[in-house]
């Protein structure tokens, strides 16, 4: 475990940052490339800790994967859905996205598999997804009192189901999509609210038939044949988010973020920030690609409070800690509504965010279905803070550190490596001490 001592000065942002390739898209690109028939070429692939685990798992399942670290390229020779049988457990460590995708994938194989993971995933419920996959024809057996390890027996005779969402979970939806594209009959997902759509977008790009409408998703396996593709991964919006928030909050800042992913289901922070009065410009917007991207230019601006509606919440799940920080420094009150589903999925993140910001003198009210933050709060360092091994909280605390001249320690800073190993180096490059 590593700690990071912040600097005893206030800073602003000046310059340009090229953020790493999108982690969410990369997880899915590896998954579809490994399952497909033929070769997949991925450019702008960023080798974070989470993606290293996903790569390792699909290599064990038979895919040939070669990574060119010098130019961030990856080449995958897929298995054409002929997954390798194993005599040992697949260890997914604490990669939640991989867990959901993999459960769906392995459900479609006649092989028996055991999945194990780290302490976080062992305590995180997968019951909702498991029940749905059982309804399709898979068999699961818990091997301990925890959720992992779990033994599963899939089937090449899965039957599609109709699932009316009780919570708005992109990960449960993704697991069902992966199972549904290899089932014998169509699968229908009736949405509660729209969520991130990377799985549907890439499924169709690789050759599946996923009809995604705002209120319903239909997967037709009869029209599916996954074929290797070429894909450029845009910059990760969630990795760009700390610079966006930091530049807005630190007076005199201007930062440029080239080729950032602008998928409409990911950029909730942009919409919320603009509702708060943010000064954000979009340049060189590329939309005729698999996943849209563009250049963002952010300048500091005094913000005002806003109300974030329940419909917006699925599109800010990674950025809630940063939005809480923005709200605490704005004028007026901010309310984030409809967080019940996120609370079920990310209760630790919301609780830890509140606890750690309180150590910096920032107070908020967290209810079962809302977060209320009063603006105009001063950062008053009361104690050192802890990431709780959450990379989103760690990066938010780094942003908070530039707004105070009081130094403090961020414990377990290495959690940032989960998504953005070079974050601290890039962060420091664009910091300029305020006069």
């Amino acid at each position: 475990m590593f700690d990071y001592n912040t600097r005893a000065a206030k800073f602003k942002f000046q310059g340009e940052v090229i953020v790493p390739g999108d982690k969410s898209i990369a997880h899915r690109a590896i998954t579809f490339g490994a399952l497909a028939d033929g070769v997949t070429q991925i450019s702008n692939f960023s080798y974070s800790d989470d993606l290293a685990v996903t790569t390792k798992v699909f290599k064990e399942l038979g895919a040939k994967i070669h990574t060119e670290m010098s130019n961030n390229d990856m080449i995958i020779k897929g298995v054409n859905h002929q997954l390798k049988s194993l005599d040992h457990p697949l260890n997914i460590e604490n990669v939640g996205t991989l867990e959901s995708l993999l459960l769906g994938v392995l459900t479609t194989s006649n092989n028996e598999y055991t999945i194990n993971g780290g302490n976080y995933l062992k305590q995180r419920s997968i019951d909702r997804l498991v029940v749905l996959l059982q309804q399709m024809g898979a068999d699961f057996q818990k091997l301990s009192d925890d959720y992992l390890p779990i033994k599963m027996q899939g089937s090449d005779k899965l039957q599609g189901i109709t699932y009316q969402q009780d919570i708005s979970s992109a990960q449960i939806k993704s697991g069902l999509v992966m199972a549904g594209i290899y089932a014998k009959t169509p699968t229908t997902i009736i949405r509660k609210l729209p969520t991130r759509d990377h799985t549907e977008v890439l499924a169709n790009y690789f050759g599946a038939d996923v009809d995604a409408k705002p209120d319903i998703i239909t997967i037709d396996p009869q029209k599916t044949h996954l074929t290797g593709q070429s894909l450029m991964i845009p910059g990760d919006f969630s990795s760009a988010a700390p610079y966006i928030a930091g530049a807005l909050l630190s007076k005199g800042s201007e930062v440029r973020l080239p080729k950032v992913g602008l998928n409409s289901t990911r950029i909730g922070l942009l919409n919320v920030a603009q509702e708060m009065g943010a000064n954000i410009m979009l340049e060189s917007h590329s939309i005729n690609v698999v996943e849209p991207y563009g250049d963002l230019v952010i300048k500091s601006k005094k913000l005002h409070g806003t109300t974030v509606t329940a419909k917006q919440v699925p599109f800010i799940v990674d950025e809630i800690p940063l939005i809480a920080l923005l709200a605490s420094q704005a004028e007026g009150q901010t309310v984030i509504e409809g967080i019940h589903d996120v609370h079920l999925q990310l209760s630790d993140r919301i609780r830890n965010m509140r606890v750690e910001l309180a150590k910096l003198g920032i107070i908020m009210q967290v209810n079962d279905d809302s977060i209320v933050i009063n603006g105009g709060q001063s950062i008053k360092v009361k104690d050192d803070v802890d990431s709780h091994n959450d990379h989103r909280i760690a990066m938010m605390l780094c942003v908070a550190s530039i707004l105070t001249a009081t130094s403090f320690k961020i414990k377990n800073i290495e959690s940032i490596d989960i998504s953005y190993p070079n974050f601290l180096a890039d962060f420091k490059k664009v910091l300029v001490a305020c006069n």
Side-chain angles (χ1 to χ4, degrees):
M1 295 184 181
F2 298 95
D3 299 337
Y4 173 67
N5 293 310
T6 67
R7 290 185 274 184
K10 291 186 178 182
F11 293 88
K12 61 184 178 181
F13 282 122
Q14 292 288 335
E16 177 177 290
V17 181
I18 299 174
V19 298
D22 189 287
K23 183 167 72 77
S24 294
I25 297 173
H27 279 303
R28 291 156 175 83
I30 295 168
T31 301
F32 284 112
L35 287 173
D37 179 12
V39 175
T40 291
Q41 294 182 287
I42 303 172
S43 59
N44 198 37
F45 176 90
S46 296
Y47 213 69
S48 63
D49 285 358
D50 271 13
L51 292 174
V53 175
T54 297
T55 301
K56 173 183 67 69
V57 164
F58 281 103
K59 280 184 175 180
E60 290 182 71
L61 290 169
K64 293 180 170 58
I65 303 178
H66 176 69
T67 305
E68 290 287 350
M69 303 294 286
S70 60
N71 55 11
N72 294 328
D73 287 349
M74 174 178 278
I75 300 173
I76 304 172
K77 177 67 168 65
V79 300
N80 195 20
H81 194 223
Q82 301 301 308
L83 298 170
K84 184 178 177 181
S85 62
L86 301 175
D87 59 3
H88 62 273
L90 284 163
N91 187 350
I92 60 173
E93 298 188 22
N94 285 308
V95 187
T97 298
L98 174 60
E99 180 178 44
S100 302
L101 294 170
L102 190 63
L103 286 174
V105 167
L106 298 183
T107 294
T108 69
S109 169
N110 279 326
N111 298 327
E112 182 180 86
Y113 295 101
T114 298
I115 300 175
N116 204 354
N119 290 332
Y120 168 69
L121 286 188
K122 285 181 179 180
Q123 304 303 318
R124 191 181 82 154
S125 175
I126 52 174
D127 286 348
R128 278 184 169 85
L129 180 55
V130 165
V131 167
L132 295 169
L133 296 175
Q134 285 174 324
Q135 291 173 13
M136 297 180 76
D139 182 64
F140 291 85
Q141 178 186 351
K142 289 179 70 172
L143 300 179
S144 75
D145 292 335
D146 296 328
Y147 292 104
L148 295 179
I150 193 168
K151 182 183 289 186
M152 60 181 298
Q153 172 68 59
S155 171
D156 60 2
K157 296 181 175 60
L158 294 180
Q159 297 298 309
I161 60 170
T162 296
Y163 166 52
Q164 182 149 4
Q165 287 186 323
D166 55 342
I167 66 169
S168 300
S169 167
Q171 292 193 354
I172 292 174
K173 175 194 66 179
S174 293
L176 281 183
V177 169
M178 298 311 303
I181 61 178
Y182 289 112
K184 294 299 182 184
T185 56
T187 293
T188 300
I189 302 170
I190 302 170
R191 298 183 192 249
K192 182 178 180 181
L193 288 172
T195 53
R196 291 182 178 188
D197 66 358
H198 297 306
T199 305
E200 301 95 290
V201 168
L202 285 188
N204 286 330
Y205 182 60
F206 276 83
D209 189 326
V210 181
D211 183 14
K213 294 184 172 66
D215 58 348
I216 192 167
I217 298 172
T218 304
I219 304 113
D220 186 349
Q222 301 303 319
K223 299 178 182 178
T224 291
H225 180 72
L226 300 186
T227 306
Q229 301 292 334
S230 294
L231 175 68
M232 192 285 287
I233 298 180
D236 194 315
F237 182 82
S238 295
S239 294
Y243 302 104
I244 296 171
L248 290 172
L249 292 178
S250 50
K251 188 175 180 180
S253 289
E254 180 174 348
V255 67
R256 183 183 185 87
L257 304 166
K259 294 185 176 180
V260 173
L262 297 174
N263 180 303
S264 61
T265 66
R266 284 290 296 283
I267 57 173
L269 172 67
L270 282 188
N271 299 326
V272 171
Q274 287 169 335
E275 290 169 8
M276 298 176 80
N279 186 350
I280 301 173
M281 292 174 287
L282 171 61
E283 301 176 355
S284 305
H285 192 192
S286 297
I287 56 175
N288 296 319
V289 291
V290 183
E291 290 276 2
Y293 61 88
D295 299 352
L296 296 175
V297 180
I298 303 96
K299 297 181 181 180
S300 56
K301 184 78 181 290
K302 186 63 179 176
L303 305 177
H304 55 77
T306 191
T307 297
V308 181
T309 67
K311 288 185 177 180
Q312 293 173 285
V313 167
F315 308 139
I316 61 167
V317 289
D318 282 347
E319 287 76 47
I320 287 176
L322 287 169
I323 290 173
L325 181 63
L326 288 174
S328 73
Q329 305 304 299
E331 294 179 350
Q333 187 180 80
T334 294
V335 180
I336 305 175
E337 299 176 338
I339 66 161
H340 178 261
D341 290 0
V342 176
H343 220 283
L344 289 175
Q345 301 169 70
L346 297 172
S347 60
D348 288 346
R349 174 170 292 169
I350 292 173
R351 180 179 62 251
N352 294 335
M353 167 192 80
R354 179 182 62 79
V355 168
E356 298 311 314
L357 281 175
K359 295 176 183 177
L360 302 181
I362 297 173
I363 305 301
M364 67 191 69
Q365 180 181 341
V366 177
N367 306 308
D368 181 59
D369 201 39
S370 67
I371 302 173
V372 181
I373 307 127
N374 290 322
Q377 300 189 54
S378 298
I379 294 181
K380 299 175 182 177
V381 178
K382 300 178 179 180
D383 199 354
D384 292 332
V385 296
D386 195 323
S387 75
H388 298 271
N389 296 312
D390 186 322
H391 53 140
R392 305 301 177 196
I393 290 178
M395 287 188 272
M396 178 273 290
L397 293 170
C398 288
V399 174
S401 76
I402 73 171
L403 306 176
T404 176
T406 304
S407 177
F408 57 90
K409 181 182 295 182
I410 303 175
K411 300 175 183 177
N412 300 311
I413 195 71
E414 73 277 5
S415 62
I416 290 175
D417 291 350
I418 290 170
S419 62
Y420 192 168
N422 293 325
F423 173 73
L424 286 176
D426 289 349
F427 190 73
K428 292 175 182 177
K429 284 179 185 176
V430 289
L431 289 182
V432 177
C434 296
N435 296 327

